[in-house]
Amino acid sequence: MDSDLYLDITDFAHSTPTWVQQLGEVWTEAGLLLFGVLFVIGWWRSRREDAAAVALAVLAPVATAVALVLSEAVKSAVQEERPCRAVAGAPASLVECPPHGDWSFPSNHSVIAGGAAVALLLAWRGIGVLTLPMAVLMAFSRVFVGVHYPHDVLAGLVFGALLAMLAMRVLRGPVEKLVLAMRGSGSGAVRWCVGAGTPALPGQPAPGSVGYGAPDHRPEDRPSHRRTGNRRRAGRR
């Protein structure tokens, strides 16, 4: 059934106008570049926020890379041949069919797309309305151009999303502590990389600095208030 669906999609691809085919060929690679641009924008905007936001923004591409490395391990274990070479009667792929040894399952492009879409969503609330459709279109384009089965791209999306989510969850704490340490660094270049965070209120330490979050009064003030109250009550007597 998967081969039949592959044939249906590739036949449809060949029936579309030339500009649609060219758009599919461009998007199947250009989509990866767009995810990279979003990683950079996400990091840049997070520099104005707290350490947790910076940690998630920095982890988004790292988590996606982790998913890609594990995807390559699965590819080497499964060794599924590309449909553009294995399916009888398949039309010529719109892009060059990868050589033998560049296995089909799962789709690395789809792993990257799924991982990047979810990682960016965790780091940048609201961006999912852009990244999730991008990931689906990226996955579909791999079948459209003829180099993957439908199950390759579906597994890639799920695999990438789950692994990226897990990596973000496991690594968030240590990276957040690292960001706090970097914000307290004496190096301006190091502080620039992680930003200053949310501006502090007047009289309050900056986020990430020593004393941040501490009460704004001195402990010794309380006894003096009590002593003043005792003197006033003594005077009334």
Side-chain angles (χ1 to χ4, degrees):
M1 288 183 62
D2 205 46
S3 296
D4 291 340
L5 182 57
Y6 168 80
L7 288 171
D8 289 341
I9 294 174
T10 51
D11 285 341
F12 165 73
H14 279 266
S15 71
T16 59
T18 302
W19 68 268
V20 175
Q21 297 177 21
Q22 292 174 343
L23 184 61
E25 294 174 34
V26 170
W27 174 249
T28 198
E29 299 296 341
L32 299 179
L33 178 61
L34 183 53
F35 274 121
V37 171
L38 290 175
F39 284 143
V40 174
I41 295 174
W43 158 72
W44 182 260
R45 68 186 294 276
S46 74
R47 295 166 67 254
R48 302 189 303 269
E49 302 180 26
D50 60 16
V54 177
L56 289 173
V58 170
L59 278 173
V62 174
T64 304
V66 169
L68 176 61
V69 170
L70 294 176
S71 170
E72 279 293 339
V74 175
K75 271 181 176 286
S76 298
V78 176
Q79 297 188 356
E80 178 188 72
E81 188 59 270
R82 296 275 180 167
C84 43
R85 204 171 5 259
V87 176
S93 56
L94 297 180
V95 297
E96 184 179 357
C97 190
H100 177 75
D102 186 349
W103 309 112
S104 190
F105 180 89
S107 162
N108 278 347
H109 283 69
S110 300
V111 169
I112 294 172
V118 170
L120 283 166
L121 177 60
L122 293 174
W124 184 350
R125 297 298 180 185
I127 197 65
V129 297
L130 174 63
T131 60
L132 296 178
M134 280 175 56
V136 172
L137 285 174
M138 172 69 71
F140 177 76
S141 72
R142 300 304 288 165
V143 184
F144 184 86
V145 299
V147 295
H148 278 291
Y149 291 103
H151 70 262
D152 296 337
V153 300
L154 179 59
L157 285 174
V158 175
F159 192 74
L162 291 178
L163 285 176
M165 191 182 305
L166 179 61
M168 297 277 279
R169 183 180 181 87
V170 170
L171 298 175
R172 175 179 174 175
V175 175
E176 185 175 344
K177 292 179 181 177
L178 178 61
V179 170
L180 284 171
M182 292 174 69
R183 282 184 170 177
S185 170
S187 169
V190 171
R191 293 197 305 273
W192 180 87
C193 289
V194 294
T198 305
L201 296 174
Q204 290 288 331
S209 64
V210 176
Y212 176 64
D216 58 0
H217 58 267
R218 292 173 299 175
E220 59 269 22
D221 289 343
R222 292 184 178 178
S224 65
H225 292 323
R226 286 197 293 269
R227 287 195 296 270
T228 302
N230 290 337
R231 284 197 299 269
R232 288 176 181 172
R233 285 195 292 272
R236 286 198 294 270
R237 292 195 187 97

